[in-house]
Amino acid sequence: MSPLPTLPLLVDAFIADTAHMTVEEVGAHIRLLVFAWRSPGCCLPDDDARLARMLGLTAKRWAALKPGVMALWQRNSEGNYVHDRLTHEHQFVTSKIEKKRAAGKLGGRPKSLELQDQGKASGSEIEKQNESERKPPTPTPTESPLSPSGGDPDGFAEFRSIYPKRNVAFPTTPARKRWLEARRRGAKPEEIIAGAKAYAAEQQRIGKVGTEFVKTADSWLHQQRWMDYGPTASAVASPPAPVTVADDTWRERIRTWRARGGHWPWRPSPPPDDPRTLVPPHLLAEFGIRPQREAHPPVLMTGTR
């Protein structure tokens, strides 16, 4: 039997993370979660051959599914694939098991003193141990350079107030953590808040506000989704600000676009084969993509005989 037989499944977060995936991709993702849960370090090897064998797929089929499935995983410092939420749950379950084991070694609850001598009661032994042990000093919380007062980070309260509602409570603690991570990477509060407003308007327009289909705020921040909701071109005559996206991010999006049969959800850039695309030309050439030419309206020929 596995030392961690129970794998918690956070249903709302799981649905939000996998709503865009096909049934086959979801099945592969669940199976990889189980394999990671049972492996030392709660991780997966960066080995396509082994991953394909775990899933019972051919190498060719796994190559087609990998971009969509592994977009929810990250590489750690050792080069293995990890899943943030799975790692957090693994640590939580492990700590509970260790606490129960420690309590069992101390003899559990003390028996009644009427059935045994007070000097031999397990409760008195535990009490002596507690008296002899010094409690470690309470660590002094370190102040974040982005939130020196110890309260909410700058702009986070406004972000929380405008983010579209789900059918569950707002995940304040993990969302605040992802907010600070985004700020450390250089993201500006006004950029994130503007993206959140656009995302909220979109969800309101398609009628998903208040349902489980709204992405969790921590996942939205972790995946830098505010970059998909830049300012629209209808603002004024001034040209839009250039989209700053790393080359590796463009490459991953192009691979996912091809794997999904042309589905391209990342705004404000049109798809790579669109003549208005913002994908850099050198990356289009790298993937052998030639944007289609814009179709010109037909010219009506008029005249007399």
Side-chain angles (χ1 to χ4, degrees):
M1 180 181 291
S2 171
L4 297 173
T6 303
L7 170 57
L9 179 62
L10 306 179
V11 178
D12 292 330
F14 181 82
I15 291 177
D17 288 344
T18 60
H20 64 282
M21 299 171 68
T22 64
V23 173
E24 189 177 10
E25 289 174 337
V26 173
H29 178 57
I30 292 176
R31 191 169 178 86
L32 291 178
L33 288 174
V34 174
F35 274 106
W37 183 262
R38 295 170 56 87
S39 67
C42 194
C43 60
L44 295 172
D46 185 10
D47 187 333
D48 288 335
R50 290 181 61 187
L51 295 177
R53 286 197 299 270
M54 291 178 183
L55 299 173
L57 299 173
T58 63
K60 182 178 180 180
R61 188 56 190 157
W62 169 236
L65 294 177
K66 180 180 178 180
V69 175
M70 301 312 291
L72 301 177
W73 297 73
Q74 304 84 33
R75 286 189 177 89
N76 60 11
S77 58
E78 299 177 358
N80 297 320
Y81 285 107
V82 295
H83 190 282
D84 287 346
R85 188 175 290 109
L86 185 70
T87 302
H88 174 76
E89 293 300 323
H90 192 280
Q91 294 172 349
F92 176 74
V93 174
T94 301
S95 64
K96 289 185 63 176
I97 291 178
E98 293 299 329
K99 289 179 181 178
K100 290 181 179 180
R101 288 176 180 170
K105 291 180 180 180
L106 294 177
R109 298 182 62 182
K111 298 180 181 179
S112 174
L113 297 181
E114 296 178 358
L115 302 179
Q116 61 179 0
D117 295 337
Q118 183 176 359
K120 297 181 180 179
S122 58
S124 61
E125 293 296 329
I126 298 175
E127 184 177 355
K128 291 180 180 179
Q129 292 178 7
N130 293 337
E131 291 177 353
S132 61
E133 294 178 357
R134 289 186 176 181
K135 294 183 179 180
T138 303
T140 302
T142 58
E143 294 182 349
S144 168
L146 299 177
S147 180
S149 62
D152 281 346
D154 53 334
F156 178 75
E158 182 180 357
F159 166 79
R160 177 179 177 177
S161 66
I162 65 174
Y163 195 80
K165 306 297 183 184
R166 299 187 78 239
N167 60 337
V168 293
F170 185 88
T172 303
T173 300
R176 182 186 292 111
K177 175 183 176 183
R178 296 304 185 189
W179 174 276
L180 290 174
E181 289 177 355
R183 294 282 288 109
R184 293 189 187 98
R185 287 194 297 264
K188 297 180 179 179
E190 55 269 22
E191 295 175 345
I192 304 176
I193 292 172
K197 289 181 178 178
Y199 178 59
E202 177 194 72
Q203 297 302 297
Q204 183 68 39
R205 185 175 64 255
I206 62 180
K208 290 187 177 181
V209 174
T211 70
E212 69 274 15
F213 298 105
V214 175
K215 202 168 188 64
T216 58
D218 53 323
S219 298
W220 193 88
L221 289 168
H222 180 59
Q223 297 174 9
Q224 304 181 41
R225 294 297 300 275
W226 67 86
M227 299 176 65
D228 300 335
Y229 295 87
T232 59
S234 61
V236 192
S238 59
V243 178
T244 304
V245 181
D247 284 359
D248 288 341
T249 303
W250 281 124
R251 291 187 179 97
E252 189 67 25
R253 291 180 176 181
I254 293 174
R255 295 189 188 100
T256 305
W257 169 69
R258 284 182 168 176
R260 296 180 182 175
H263 177 61
W264 181 265
W266 295 287
R267 288 179 293 272
S269 173
D273 58 354
D274 190 294
R276 298 165 299 170
T277 185
L278 300 181
V279 179
H282 68 276
L283 294 178
L284 296 176
E286 179 181 327
F287 284 86
I289 300 174
R290 292 184 177 181
Q292 301 176 359
R293 295 183 178 179
E294 293 184 338
H296 295 284
V299 179
L300 298 179
M301 304 297 293
T302 60
T304 60
R305 293 183 178 180

